[in-house]
Amino acid sequence: MIEIAASTAVVYQRIIIDIAMYFGLFVIVAMALNFQYGNAGVPNMGCAVSASIGGYTVSAIITRIIYYVGTNANIGMKPYATDFDWNYNNQFNTYLMNDYIAEHALFGMSMFLFSIALGFLMGWLMGYVISLPAIRLRATYLIITLITMADAAQILGRNVVWISGGTLGMWVPNVFKWYPGDRTIIMAVATMLIGIICYFILRTMLNSPYGRLMRGVRENDLTVQSVGKDVTAIRRNVLMFASGITAVVGVLIGYYYSYVIQSNFIRATWTYWPWLMLMIGGAGNNAGTFIGCALIIAMRRIIIVYKWSLEQYIWYPIVIFESQLLATLLLVVMIFRPDGLIPEKLLRIPGIDYKRLVHEEAEVDWRIERTDPSERGGLLSRIKGGGKKKEEAE
Amino acid sequence: MIIPVIWMSAIVYASMITLLSIGFTLTHMTAKIPNFAHGTYAGFGVYVSFIAVRYFDMSPYFGFPASFLLGGLIGILLYKIVVSTLRRMGGGAIVLTISTIAIQIFMAQFQHIFAFWTRETYGLMSYGFLLKKNDFKFEVLGQSFQGIFPVSFGLVIAIVVLLRWMLTGTKFGIAMKAAAEDPELSQILGINIDKIQVASWFMTGGMACLAGALLPMWFMGSPGAGARLLISCMAGSLLGGLGDIYGAVIGGFAIGLIEIIFTAQGMKVFGLWVGEYRPLIPMIATIGILLIEPGGVTGWYSRWRVGGGYERLMARLGRSKEE
C-alpha cells in the first residue's frame, strides 16, 4: 500500500511539475505575443520560427562550445567535426560532458545563462530577418510570410544535420547536472523565474512612453505617422524584441527535454496555442494572458496524462479529439466573447489620472465598434440581429 | 517520347495549384481575408476520390461532381457558421484570419478520423494511397498517357473560360466584381452581399475540393496531403497579386511548374539532396515576390500600363512594321 501511495505521489508530483513547466514556457510566449498583437497590433504568426531558433542555438552553438571545453579538458571525447560524428557520437559525448558538468557547477550555470543571452540575441536577429519581406505591407502579407517561414525553419532543421542532428535530433548536455535532486524541478523553477523577469520587463515597457506609442500604432498608424514617428520601425522593433523573448523559450525547452529536434517546434504548438491563449484570455492585458495560458495548459496536460481513461469513451485517437476540442474552443470564444475573458485595461502613467482623462474629458473610444452593454441584448439576439439593431436605432 | 514524364507531372501539379490559387484569390477578393483552410478543403477531395474507387469500385472521375458539391457545401457551412457570424459580431480581418486557422485544424481532424475509421473497419490503406492504376490510359504517337494529364489541364482551361464568361458576361458576375470592389456602394445599388458571399464561398470550396480530387491520381494521398498544398497555393496567389483571377491563373501555374521542374533539374545537376528542399521553392518565391513587387504580376502589369509601357511597345511594333 505504501509503495502504491508513494508511486501515486510521484505521479502527481510529475503532473504538477509538468504543468508548471509548460505554464512557465507558454506564458512567456503568450506574453510576448500579447506584447506584439495586443499592444502594437503586429499579428505575429511566426512564433514557431523564434522558438525553433532558440532550440537550434542550444544544439548548434552551445553544445559545440561545451564540447570544445570538454575536448580541451581531456576527458576522452570522441570526434564531432563531421556530420556523421556529430550525429552518432553525440550521445557518448553528451554523457561525458554531463559528468564534467556535475563536477563544475559554475561552468554549467554560466553556460545556461550564456545560452539564454545568446538565444535572445539570435531570436532578435531572426526577428529582423523574418520582418524584412512584409513588415511594410498589409497584415495579410505579414501573416502569410510568417506562416511560410515557420515551415522553412523546420525544413532547414530537418535537412541540415549540423544544426540539430537532422531527423534524428540532438542530445544536449544537462547544464543542471550538479543539482543533486530532480532535474525537472530546478528547470521548472528557472523557467518560472525567467517568466517573472519577462513579465516585469514587458510591463515596464508597456507603461513607458514607448508602450503608449505602441498602442497608438495599433489604434491608428496614420495619426502616429503624421506626428513624425516611424511606424514601420516601431513594428519591426516590437517584432524583434518579442522574437528574442520567444527564442529564450526555445532555449528552455531544449534544456527541459535535454533534446532538440525540429519536430518539437511545429507550427500548431508554437503558433496556434499561444494565439488560442491570447484570444481566450483577452488581448491587451497580461492577466488575461495568464488565465488563458493556465486554462489551455491544464486542459492539454490533463488530456495527455489521462489519455488511457479517456480513450475508452472516444473511438478515435485522442490526439485528434484534443485538436478538435482546442479549435472549437477558439471559435466559440471568438464568437461569444470577442474581447476574451478579461477585457483590455488602460495603461498606467505615473502622475497622471489616465482613466479620468480618457473617460471624462477626452472621450476617446479605445475599441472600434464597442457597443453599449444595454443595447446588446441576449446572446442569440446578438448573433441573429447584431447588424439590424444599429439600423433601427438610426 | 513526345512529352517527358516530369513535364506531365509538373502540369498536373500546376493545374492543381492553379485551381487552388483561383479560389484563394477569389476568397481574398470578396471576403478580404486569406483563407488558411483553403488547402484543407482539398483534403476532402482526396478522400472523395478514395471513396469512389475503393468503396464503389468506380473510376475516380465519377467522384468529381460529388467532390465539387461537397467542397461547395463545406464552404457555405464555413461562411454561414463562422465567417458571417464573426463578422456580424464585429470581428476584424485579423480575427477572421485566425478563425480560418482554427477551422483548418478542426477540419483536418475529420480527414484523420475518416482515414482511421476506414483502416480500422475495412482494413483499407487509407493513410497513404495512390489511385494511378484506376486511371484510364491512352496512346498518342506511340506514347502512353495517363488520363489525368489531359483531364487536369482541360479542367483548368474549362474553369478559367467558365469564370471569364461568368465574371464578364452575366449579371451575377458583374455584381460579384462590384461587391469585391466596394461592398457598401454595391449594397446601395441593390446587390445582396450575403448571396454573393455564399456563392463565392461555394465556388472556391468546390474548386479547391476538385483540385484535391485530382491529387491521388498522380501524387500520394494522405490526411495531410491537402494542407501541404497551402504554401504553394499562397505563393501562386501572391505571384498573381491577390486581387485578380487571371493573375492567379498565371501565378498558380507558374509556381506549380517551377516547383516540380526546378526540383527535378536541381536533383539532376546538384544531386538528390535537392529533393528535400522542394517545399522551400514556393517559400522563396513568396519572399522574393514581396521584396521585389508586392503587387505580383497584376501590380507589375498595371504599373507597366500606367507608365506608358503599352504605348511604347505598340510604337516599337508599329515602327518595325513601317520599316
Side-chain angles (χ1 to χ4, degrees):
Chain A
M1 273 310 280
I2 297 164
E3 274 175 13
I4 291 170
S7 68
T8 326
V10 166
V11 166
Y12 279 113
Q13 193 194 358
R14 283 274 346 135
I15 294 172
I16 290 165
I17 292 170
D18 208 40
I19 289 178
M21 183 70 202
Y22 270 87
F23 176 75
L25 289 171
F26 276 94
V27 92
I28 300 174
V29 181
M31 273 193 307
L33 191 61
N34 185 18
F35 185 69
Q36 297 167 83
Y37 175 66
N39 293 292
V42 180
N44 186 357
M45 290 270 174
C47 303
V49 188
S50 316
S52 59
I53 288 303
Y56 296 161
T57 307
V58 174
S59 64
I61 301 173
I62 300 293
T63 310
R64 252 170 244 270
I65 294 172
I66 293 178
Y67 283 2
Y68 180 75
V69 170
T71 319
N72 283 3
N74 285 326
I75 50 169
M77 298 272 286
K78 286 193 174 177
Y80 56 89
T82 63
D83 274 357
F84 184 84
D85 289 343
W86 176 244
N87 227 335
Y88 289 95
N89 293 341
N90 167 248
Q91 292 183 24
F92 183 77
N93 285 344
T94 303
Y95 172 73
L96 283 184
M97 282 322 291
N98 279 351
D99 286 353
Y100 181 79
I101 290 169
E103 290 162 13
H104 301 76
L106 197 63
F107 172 65
M109 242 2 249
S110 59
M111 279 331 282
F112 178 68
L113 294 177
F114 177 64
S115 63
I116 284 172
L118 193 68
F120 180 82
L121 192 70
M122 298 297 282
W124 189 72
L125 289 174
M126 199 62 205
Y128 181 73
V129 173
I130 60 175
S131 74
L132 212 54
I135 196 82
R136 281 161 216 282
L137 305 172
R138 265 185 297 150
T140 309
Y141 291 114
L142 188 66
I143 291 172
I144 288 176
T145 38
L146 290 178
I147 277 190
T148 52
M149 297 239 187
D151 283 10
Q154 236 186 312
I155 290 165
L156 288 176
R158 189 156 58 227
N159 294 306
V160 183
V161 174
W162 59 263
I163 294 179
S164 68
T167 45
L168 290 173
M170 279 272 308
W171 293 93
V172 173
N174 176 10
V175 286
F176 291 110
K177 186 71 181 176
W178 45 269
Y179 181 70
D182 191 349
R183 179 178 64 92
T184 53
I185 293 176
I186 190 161
M187 206 54 234
V189 169
T191 307
M192 292 294 212
L193 266 177
I194 290 168
I196 290 167
I197 293 168
C198 282
Y199 169 71
F200 279 110
I201 290 174
L202 291 176
R203 203 187 70 155
T204 316
M205 283 191 76
L206 285 181
N207 285 326
S208 70
Y210 200 80
R212 295 193 288 280
L213 189 61
M214 275 161 55
R215 288 219 169 171
V217 170
R218 184 194 69 181
E219 292 301 326
N220 196 338
D221 51 349
L222 274 177
T223 313
V224 174
Q225 215 160 12
S226 69
V227 295
K229 300 286 182 190
D230 190 350
V231 171
T232 311
I234 293 164
R235 285 205 179 118
R236 193 183 54 225
N237 290 350
V238 167
L239 186 66
M240 281 166 79
F241 185 73
S243 168
I245 286 180
T246 315
V248 171
V249 177
V251 171
L252 289 172
I253 197 132
Y255 284 132
Y256 180 59
Y257 288 147
S258 280
Y259 185 64
V260 175
I261 190 167
Q262 42 83 25
S263 56
N264 267 348
F265 301 105
I266 55 171
R267 203 172 64 199
T269 313
W270 291 97
T271 307
Y272 178 67
W273 289 3
W275 271 100
L276 182 61
M277 293 160 190
L278 191 71
M279 282 291 163
I280 286 181
N285 63 333
N286 280 328
T289 311
F290 289 153
I291 289 178
C293 189
L295 269 177
I296 298 298
I297 292 297
M299 205 158 93
R300 260 198 53 94
R301 286 287 118 190
I302 283 168
I303 286 177
I304 286 174
V305 170
Y306 292 102
K307 204 178 225 178
W308 182 247
S309 340
L310 278 172
E311 211 144 55
Q312 293 161 358
Y313 301 105
I314 298 162
W315 56 269
Y316 51 86
I318 209 86
V319 191
I320 298 174
F321 171 73
E322 182 193 320
S323 297
Q324 272 186 332
L325 191 71
L326 291 178
T328 321
L329 191 68
L330 179 58
L331 288 177
V332 167
V333 165
M334 283 207 298
I335 288 170
F336 290 105
R337 279 199 79 93
D339 289 345
L341 292 175
I342 298 176
E344 184 183 330
K345 271 193 295 190
L346 291 173
L347 296 175
R348 192 179 62 81
I349 311 171
I352 300 174
D353 195 354
Y354 200 39
K355 232 175 213 171
R356 197 179 58 81
L357 196 76
V358 169
H359 282 307
E360 287 173 16
E361 290 174 18
E363 287 286 324
V364 180
D365 196 7
W366 287 94
R367 274 289 169 98
I368 308 157
E369 292 179 23
R370 174 182 277 177
T371 46
D372 194 20
S374 59
E375 226 178 76
R376 275 185 177 176
L379 276 178
L380 274 176
S381 69
R382 270 164 71 192
I383 295 169
K384 275 181 184 169
K388 279 178 191 169
K389 258 186 187 164
K390 242 185 202 171
E391 289 162 20
E392 282 170 16
E394 281 165 5
Chain B
M1 190 166 273
I2 316 160
I3 303 171
V5 178
I6 194 73
W7 275 94
M8 279 202 264
S9 169
I11 285 174
V12 173
Y13 187 73
S15 309
M16 264 155 45
I17 298 297
T18 311
L19 283 180
L20 284 170
S21 290
I22 294 172
F24 192 84
T25 309
L26 207 60
T27 317
H28 192 267
M29 276 163 69
T30 51
K32 307 277 182 263
I33 51 163
N35 182 6
F36 289 112
H38 204 76
T40 317
Y41 290 160
F44 286 102
V46 172
Y47 278 99
V48 171
S49 284
F50 177 83
I51 290 172
V53 172
R54 293 276 192 271
Y55 280 35
F56 297 106
D57 223 358
M58 296 190 299
S59 168
Y61 297 108
F62 288 114
F64 279 16
S67 65
F68 188 83
L69 283 179
L70 177 74
L73 202 70
I74 292 167
I76 290 179
L77 279 179
L78 256 184
Y79 173 71
K80 277 287 172 198
I81 295 174
V82 182
V83 178
S84 160
T85 317
L86 271 175
R87 187 159 282 164
R88 233 173 272 162
M89 300 299 289
I94 290 171
V95 169
L96 283 171
T97 310
I98 296 160
S99 79
T100 60
I101 292 177
I103 292 162
Q104 180 203 350
I105 289 171
F106 185 71
M107 288 204 313
Q109 305 312 321
F110 283 114
Q111 290 153 30
H112 282 280
I113 290 173
F114 177 77
F116 177 78
W117 175 72
T118 309
R119 196 190 61 183
E120 294 297 302
T121 320
Y122 300 101
L124 293 170
M125 288 285 281
S126 54
Y127 272 91
F129 58 91
L130 200 61
L131 305 178
K132 222 169 186 170
K133 275 184 191 165
N134 306 79
D135 200 358
F136 68 90
K137 284 195 183 88
F138 62 94
E139 271 193 31
V140 177
L141 298 171
Q143 187 187 5
S144 80
F145 285 95
Q146 289 275 337
I148 187 69
F149 170 60
V151 166
S152 62
F153 195 55
L155 200 65
V156 168
I157 292 173
I159 281 182
V160 171
V161 169
L162 258 174
L163 269 177
R164 163 135 189 120
W165 169 74
M166 204 199 78
L167 286 177
T168 54
T170 63
K171 230 175 184 176
F172 174 75
I174 291 162
M176 193 175 215
K177 267 160 80 178
E181 200 76 34
D182 193 335
E184 280 158 11
L185 196 62
S186 52
Q187 232 165 354
I188 290 166
L189 291 172
I191 294 168
N192 190 341
I193 295 284
D194 199 53
K195 261 187 195 167
I196 298 281
Q197 289 273 7
V198 167
S200 105
W201 282 81
F202 176 78
M203 272 177 3
T204 53
M207 275 190 284
C209 219
L210 209 54
L214 296 172
L215 185 133
M217 257 89 89
W218 198 289
F219 304 96
M220 197 180 79
S222 64
R228 242 173 271 138
L229 298 174
L230 177 71
I231 302 237
S232 307
C233 147
M234 289 197 301
S237 310
L238 273 181
L239 183 57
L242 270 181
D244 189 76
I245 285 176
Y246 312 119
V249 175
I250 295 169
F253 214 81
I255 292 286
L257 282 184
I258 285 170
E259 201 181 326
I260 300 276
I261 297 294
F262 271 35
T263 314
Q265 289 301 320
M267 276 160 84
K268 254 186 208 167
V269 176
F270 298 108
L272 289 176
W273 58 271
V274 177
E276 283 288 333
Y277 294 96
R278 182 182 139 183
L280 277 185
I281 292 174
M283 294 174 192
I284 293 168
T286 307
I287 293 162
I289 293 158
L290 289 180
L291 282 175
I292 297 163
E293 174 63 70
V297 178
T298 331
W300 174 78
Y301 178 72
S302 61
R303 255 206 348 221
W304 183 71
R305 279 303 288 265
V306 169
Y310 182 71
E311 283 77 21
R312 254 180 278 142
L313 184 72
M314 282 295 116
R316 190 171 291 170
L317 288 177
R319 196 181 298 154
S320 65
K321 262 180 194 172
E322 280 173 16
E323 284 166 12

